[in-house]
Amino acid sequence: PYRIFHTLPANTGDPALVAWIMSWDVQALTTHPLHLFNAPIFWPRSLTLAYSDLMLPAAPVYGLLLVLTGSSVAALNLMVLLLMVGTQVTTYLLTKRLTGRDDAAVLSAFAFTFSGFALGHWGHPQLQTLGLLPLGFLLLFRVLDRPTTGRAVACGVATAALALGAQYY
């Protein structure tokens, strides 16, 4: 438990920046949302958050975890873990839908979530939002199977969240 509250994932470089960005996102969205991009970096320049990853889709989850834990480090660590679980679940569901096989779905979920690239970038939560990719495909297939406005909107939201969450990659 101590490490979750006091140790950033991977290193103190990008994870510290991501924790700061996420904390800024939460603060700006709850106090002055129209000034979200005017983060207090590179002052006196304006719209400075546009220079970096926005991570906006993950901000509500991070904000909730920040309130629950009282620690930006713990919130970031728990968010990374939740994103990895989400990647596992969505990859499993997509593969199960495509193959109809549990064994293939479990194997692909582990392979996608714990690939060398994903583990090599453990400290980049932006990469962990790639779990939205299998979710987007799953929702797209559901729209193609039985088109409804709700399914199309859900597919669009997942695609937009992936684009906004993983711009860097």
Side-chain angles (χ1 to χ4, degrees):
Y2 175 82
R3 292 187 63 126
I4 268 191
F5 282 88
H6 300 287
T7 305
L8 287 166
N11 58 55
T12 56
D14 286 344
L17 174 64
V18 169
W20 185 88
I21 290 170
M22 297 297 297
S23 295
W24 170 256
D25 285 351
V26 170
Q27 178 187 345
L29 289 172
T30 56
T31 59
H32 43 84
L34 295 178
H35 298 283
L36 173 67
F37 285 97
N38 289 323
I41 53 176
F42 306 119
W43 185 86
R45 299 284 184 220
S46 61
L47 305 175
T48 54
L49 191 58
Y51 302 156
S52 191
D53 291 320
L54 183 57
M55 303 273 310
L56 194 57
V61 174
Y62 178 85
L64 177 64
L65 293 170
L66 184 60
V67 167
L68 291 174
T69 64
S71 165
S72 59
V73 173
L76 182 65
N77 284 325
L78 291 171
M79 187 181 73
V80 168
L81 290 173
L82 287 173
L83 286 169
M84 290 183 74
V85 169
T87 299
Q88 290 234 307
V89 169
T90 59
T91 305
Y92 172 86
L93 292 173
L94 175 63
T95 307
K96 175 76 173 174
R97 185 195 185 289
L98 293 174
T99 66
R101 295 179 51 180
D102 285 321
D103 57 344
V106 168
L107 181 61
S108 68
F110 275 99
F112 187 65
T113 305
F114 299 110
S115 68
F117 184 71
L119 290 180
H121 291 277
W122 173 255
H124 299 104
Q126 310 91 310
L127 178 66
Q128 305 307 328
T129 61
L130 289 179
L132 294 169
L133 189 60
L135 176 63
F137 277 114
L138 182 63
L139 293 172
L140 175 63
F141 290 139
R142 288 183 179 170
V143 168
L144 294 174
D145 286 344
R146 196 176 54 129
T148 66
T149 303
R151 287 179 177 204
V153 168
C155 184
V157 167
T159 303
L162 175 62
L164 289 172
Q167 286 174 319
Y168 183 79
Y169 288 96

